[in-house]
Amino acid sequence: MDRCDVLIVGGGPAGSTCAWKLRAAGLDVVVLDKRPFPRDKTCAGWITPAVVEELALDAIGYAASRVFQPITGFRTGIIGGRVVRTDYGRPVSFGIRRCEFDHYLLDRAGARLRLGQRLDSIERSGDGWMINGSITTPLLVGAGGHFCPVARFLGAPGGGKELVVAAQEVEFEMTGRQQEECAVQAAIPELYFCPDLQGYGWCFRKGNFLNVGLGREDSRRLSEHVAAFCESLKEQGRIPRSTPEAFRGHAYLLYGHAPRNLLDDGVLLIGDAAGLAYAQSGEGIRPAVESGLIAAQVILGAAGDYRQDMLRPYADRLMQRFGKHEPAAGSPGPLPAGLKQWAAARLLATRWFSRHVLIDRWFLRANQPVLAGH
């Protein structure tokens, strides 16, 4: 029988960040993940300077052997509508490949790894837990994404009963011919909102790699929306005609739209397992990293006493950081849906709104300072 101080289920940015901080404090941490690393992860893949700072990322060392694409601007608009280009003249984000980024963070964390192993059973064992009948721990951290088994253990509904964003994307290394046919500039990702405002598509070039995808809160006929979006990009010459059609999918919760139970005695959730993606953009890497940092602070402060009351500051700090829960998409508002769409289409066509609200506030979160005290 093995034993550890903390067992983290999920080796993505949330789990690896939490493990990194706990290991630095001397705790024995095991990370369990159903996939071996490096592994592919469905994600457009960029991080802001705030994430670089919060992770104390050695950007020069990281970029020496991995994709680290500076982003200096964006092209934005409504699909089929006017496109606005915003240039900053300096890097405001960095494109990464999740297969590289996640592997780097997990390796750096220094935890003991149990990769390629599913979480099959959770049983009470004294004041803690027995996992898969082979490892005991006083604290279980769920970091396994939207479908995290620890989240289900805490009561997260299954079977599509939550309001989720469903996305499909493809990332591939372009041939020389495909690079010539791709009009997307490496430093200028492109974001195109669906006319009904239920989601957006993107195309993002990272060196020789191209990532194309689309996500929607209304997941009905998602594949049709994705196919139509890609065809429009091909017709405009934005992406190569030979872009692969084997898109991969994933799902995630927007913060506050379907709140989950975050903790109980000896257990808590972080990252996508906790449903922390930003409501305006769907971006989840920074919330994942910050939740991992906050969780580590609370865990260390509990000093081995992991009763619910001792872990409750975690939920309080998340609320302080991410704000009050927002109403679910599609809930009644003061304006009819058609008028909102009409107004949004015109706002998105203006340079001021595109830069100062859409990009700076919603996508870059430039108004939110780096997490203090991490």
Side-chain angles (χ1 to χ4, degrees), residues 140-224:
L140 181 63
V141 176
H146 173 65
F147 300 105
C148 181
V150 182
R152 292 200 302 272
F153 180 78
L154 282 180
K161 295 180 181 179
E162 293 175 306
L163 180 65
V164 303
V165 172
Q168 294 181 358
E169 63 92 26
V170 64
E171 182 169 289
F172 65 100
E173 185 170 14
M174 294 184 287
T175 65
R177 176 71 176 273
Q178 288 173 325
Q179 292 178 52
E180 294 174 359
E181 296 176 351
C182 182
V184 178
Q185 298 181 37
I188 312 291
E190 305 186 3
L191 307 172
Y192 302 100
F193 287 80
C194 300
D196 63 2
L197 304 182
Q198 291 296 303
Y200 67 91
W202 64 85
C203 42
F204 184 16
R205 184 172 182 170
K206 310 170 219 180
N208 296 338
F209 290 89
L210 182 66
N211 187 294
V212 182
L214 183 142
R216 285 179 58 83
E217 291 184 59
D218 180 0
S219 60
R220 291 172 296 180
R221 299 165 49 207
L222 175 62
S223 295
E224 295 179 26

Side-chain angles (χ1 to χ4, degrees), residues 54-198:
E54 288 169 347
L55 288 174
L57 190 68
D58 174 10
I60 295 176
Y62 183 91
S65 59
R66 305 169 187 86
V67 171
F68 197 67
Q69 172 66 57
I71 297 171
T72 60
F74 294 85
R75 279 170 51 95
T76 58
I78 296 283
I79 295 174
R82 181 181 174 221
V83 174
V84 174
R85 174 162 169 157
T86 302
D87 289 294
Y88 289 87
R90 57 181 173 82
V92 292
S93 279
F94 303 93
I96 49 92
R97 301 193 67 217
R98 288 292 300 275
C99 57
E100 298 174 342
F101 184 69
D102 292 12
H103 189 208
Y104 171 88
L105 293 182
L106 184 59
D107 184 62
R108 186 187 69 163
R112 293 194 284 139
L113 305 179
R114 289 197 173 197
L115 304 180
Q117 299 182 31
R118 293 181 177 274
L119 176 58
D120 293 322
S121 65
I122 304 175
E123 303 173 53
R124 267 295 180 188
S125 176
D127 293 333
W129 307 98
M130 180 180 293
I131 305 302
N132 290 351
S134 63
I135 183 168
T136 60
T137 182
L139 181 63
L140 181 63
V141 176
H146 173 65
F147 300 105
C148 181
V150 182
R152 292 200 302 272
F153 180 78
L154 282 180
K161 295 180 181 179
E162 293 175 306
L163 180 65
V164 303
V165 172
Q168 294 181 358
E169 63 92 26
V170 64
E171 182 169 289
F172 65 100
E173 185 170 14
M174 294 184 287
T175 65
R177 176 71 176 273
Q178 288 173 325
Q179 292 178 52
E180 294 174 359
E181 296 176 351
C182 182
V184 178
Q185 298 181 37
I188 312 291
E190 305 186 3
L191 307 172
Y192 302 100
F193 287 80
C194 300
D196 63 2
L197 304 182
Q198 291 296 303

Side-chain angles (χ1 to χ4, degrees), residues 319-349:
M319 181 73 74
Q320 293 171 6
R321 183 63 177 171
F322 298 112
K324 295 181 179 179
H325 289 166
E326 301 181 13
S331 59
L335 295 176
L339 183 56
K340 289 181 180 179
Q341 294 167 15
W342 178 86
R346 278 147 186 79
L347 285 172
L348 287 169

Side-chain angles (χ1 to χ4, degrees), residues 206-282:
K206 310 170 219 180
N208 296 338
F209 290 89
L210 182 66
N211 187 294
V212 182
L214 183 142
R216 285 179 58 83
E217 291 184 59
D218 180 0
S219 60
R220 291 172 296 180
R221 299 165 49 207
L222 175 62
S223 295
E224 295 179 26
H225 286 283
V226 172
F229 173 61
C230 290
E231 186 58 31
S232 70
L233 293 176
K234 293 175 182 178
E235 291 177 354
Q236 298 170 50
R238 303 309 302 170
I239 65 175
R241 275 283 175 188
S242 57
T243 294
E245 298 181 356
F247 281 65
R248 301 176 65 244
H250 77 299
Y252 55 90
L253 294 174
L254 299 178
Y255 178 71
H257 284 200
R260 288 181 165 181
N261 294 326
L262 297 179
L263 55 89
D264 204 337
D265 290 337
V267 57
L268 57 79
L269 302 179
I270 59 178
D272 278 345
L276 300 180
Y278 291 132
Q280 296 90 347
S281 65

